Amino acid sequence: MGQREAWLTGLPQAGTEGRGGVVTRSGRAGWDGLLAQARRLAADLPGTGVGGWVVPADRGVRTVLGLLVLGLATPAPSWVLGDPASWAEPDAPGYADLLFPAASHAAAPPGASGATYATATSGSTGTPRLLFGHVGNLAPAVRLYTDELPEFAAAEAFVTCSPPDFAAAFYLMLLPALVLRRDLVLFRPSDWPFAAAELAGRPTVCLAPPALQVQGARCGRPGASYRDTWFVPAGGGMTLRRADRVAAGFPGCRFLTILGSTETGLLTVSRQVRDDGYVGRPLAGKPVWLDGIAPDGVGTLWTRGPDTRFAARGGQLMTGPDGAVSTGDLAHPTPDGGYVLDGRQGELVKVDGVSVYPNRIAEALRRLPGVDDVAVTVDRTGAADRLVLTVVGTADEAAVRAACAALPQPIVPHRVRCRADARAYTDRGKVRT
């Protein structure tokens, strides 16, 4: 595929016309109609000062239409999925109320060749940044997912409450739905009754943060079967306790636990939920390996593939030779060729010269009665690293500290914060720290 060829023409289209579309509470827009409308708009797409566009990520069908316009335009433009207030040129006129000219600070870093795309993310830092990929890599990325995940091939609908600037929603939901001509169901995090009706009685894949899946379980339809529903925990954090609560509301449902990030794309997949940090095995065709392995067997995960990003604005990207990318995830291997996650490089704490892995602490505390979720962070503002625990649930500080003291490698957290209300989570389903 040429660097400036329309990227949508390179996708492996299923060739099934008249099937599927974008479904929201407001109704359905079929793929055929959306593509026809996008072709008309793409033919008249003007150029911009920096050669790129911003697609608002939170506008449902109109977000999808904007992406289709850019996917059909020739030469292929660069684009950003995110918030126009952060990345668009101020006061510049938009196009068809879909696209907005990108500002210079949203352009790909110097040295990037050909058309690029970026998704906006703040990760765990809270600071907005862009992560860039090449549009020519989108077609092989879709093939990787649809060929290696049989649940996707069987799905009649891809259901999510995550906007597509969260990369998993773009790669795992929007693009497969388009390629396979299946329904893409978009719902608000507060509208699980609508989502539950779409999930019932047919093969589906649903991407949502685990905390929101638990909330949604209250809305399962009585008597409905969800045995063909696969839940994907956006952002990780699915535990056995949470899985049981989700399955109680959606009887028969199953789980695809996925390790990945906007930087690395999909790393590993498991079809079971475990509380020991096991995150599954890599997809065939997606190399994943450990580097810098310590005496305790823990190393840093690296990967290479079409769904990885090559550059960042507003933050650093760990890159190596031949397009290798890492987020600093720490893991150790398992006999079945999978990995157990131990935390992240930047979170690793040395206590009296011994490595302390925050992920192991979180897993142990999630098994404590009254604990729904845990976030372990490191305060590095003092002379020594200090652990801060944010606990969601009904457990009190004394119980949390006692559990920390009883760990195989006992720890004394600097601070413990206990929260029991819905405000404990961000709108992406992550624990507020």
Side-chain angles (χ1 to χ4, degrees):
M1 176 177 170
Q3 289 182 326
R4 306 302 293 186
E5 181 183 340
W7 61 266
L8 190 53
T9 63
L11 292 179
Q13 300 291 342
T16 304
E17 296 183 358
R19 288 185 57 187
V22 182
V23 182
T24 67
R25 170 67 80 172
S26 301
R28 171 190 294 272
W31 285 120
D32 292 343
L34 286 171
L35 285 166
Q37 186 178 359
R39 289 188 186 94
R40 293 192 296 270
L41 292 169
D44 297 325
L45 184 69
T48 65
V50 296
W53 296 92
V54 176
V55 188
D58 58 354
R59 301 180 68 185
V61 177
R62 298 194 68 75
T63 293
V64 177
L65 180 59
L67 288 169
L68 295 179
V69 171
L70 297 176
L72 292 166
T74 303
S78 295
W79 45 273
V80 169
L81 262 170
D83 176 17
S86 298
W87 308 110
E89 187 68 35
D91 302 321
Y95 177 65
D97 193 34
L98 296 172
L99 311 171
F100 300 87
S104 58
H105 68 278
S113 59
T116 62
Y117 71 100
T119 51
T121 177
S122 61
S124 58
T125 67
T127 303
R129 63 178 180 150
L130 296 179
L131 292 161
F132 291 87
H134 291 294
V135 296
N137 288 343
L138 289 171
V142 174
R143 293 189 192 99
L144 175 70
Y145 291 175
T146 56
D147 289 350
E148 299 297 335
L149 294 170
E151 298 83 2
F152 282 44
E156 294 180 6
F158 295 85
V159 184
T160 186
C161 59
S162 298
D165 62 330
F166 177 68
F170 177 64
Y171 273 122
L172 297 178
M173 298 282 107
L174 191 156
L175 288 184
L178 170 62
V179 168
L180 300 173
R181 290 294 196 272
R182 310 291 166 77
D183 283 345
L184 173 65
V185 180
L186 304 175
F187 70 100
R188 295 184 180 277
S190 59
D191 196 7
W192 275 97
F194 169 67
E198 292 292 330
L199 293 170
R202 61 173 176 166
T204 52
V205 179
C206 179
L207 175 78
L212 298 183
Q213 292 181 24
V214 171
Q215 294 178 24
R218 306 186 190 114
C219 303
R221 304 181 73 181
S225 172
Y226 295 94
R227 65 178 182 274
D228 292 321
T229 295
W230 290 86
F231 282 104
V232 179
M238 180 58 76
T239 63
L240 281 169
R241 184 179 300 171
R242 281 178 161 180
D244 288 343
R245 293 169 67 180
V246 174
F250 297 110
C253 71
R254 289 170 286 180
F255 299 89
L256 281 173
T257 56
I258 287 176
L259 175 65
S261 70
T262 310
E263 295 92 336
T264 64
L266 186 58
L267 284 165
T268 61
V269 176
S270 174
R271 289 166 177 83
Q272 55 184 312
V273 177
R274 290 167 44 170
D275 279 341
D276 60 356
Y278 180 77
V279 291
R281 294 182 293 180
L283 290 181
K286 180 73 181 287
V288 177
W289 66 94
L290 292 176
D291 195 14
I293 300 175
D296 59 5
V298 175
T300 304
L301 280 168
W302 285 81
T303 189
R304 184 185 298 110
D307 55 343
T308 62
R309 307 307 171 92
F310 72 90
R313 272 196 185 277
Q316 293 184 334
L317 186 67
M318 292 177 61
T319 57
D322 302 322
V325 179
S326 176
T327 58
D329 284 307
L330 299 170
H332 63 270
T334 59
D336 68 347
Y339 293 97
V340 170
L341 193 65
D342 293 298
R344 280 199 174 178
Q345 206 172 68
E347 299 170 344
L348 184 63
V349 184
K350 292 283 187 177
V351 179
D352 296 329
V354 177
S355 296
V356 176
Y357 297 102
N359 201 63
R360 296 181 185 176
I361 299 170
E363 288 160 8
L365 292 179
R366 288 188 185 113
R367 294 193 286 269
L368 186 68
V371 173
D372 293 329
D373 208 348
V374 179
V376 182
T377 54
V378 182
D379 180 356
R380 303 189 189 276
T381 59
D385 292 343
R386 301 181 295 185
L387 286 172
V388 179
L389 307 183
T390 304
V391 178
V392 181
T394 58
D396 59 19
E397 181 175 348
V400 172
R401 288 189 177 276
C404 290
L407 290 171
Q409 184 177 304
I411 65 161
V412 179
H414 172 66
R415 190 185 316 149
V416 176
R417 296 180 291 208
C418 296
R419 295 176 170 174
D421 55 38
R423 291 175 295 177
Y425 293 97
T426 69
D427 58 359
R428 295 292 177 88
K430 293 187 177 182
V431 177
R432 295 185 189 276
T433 57

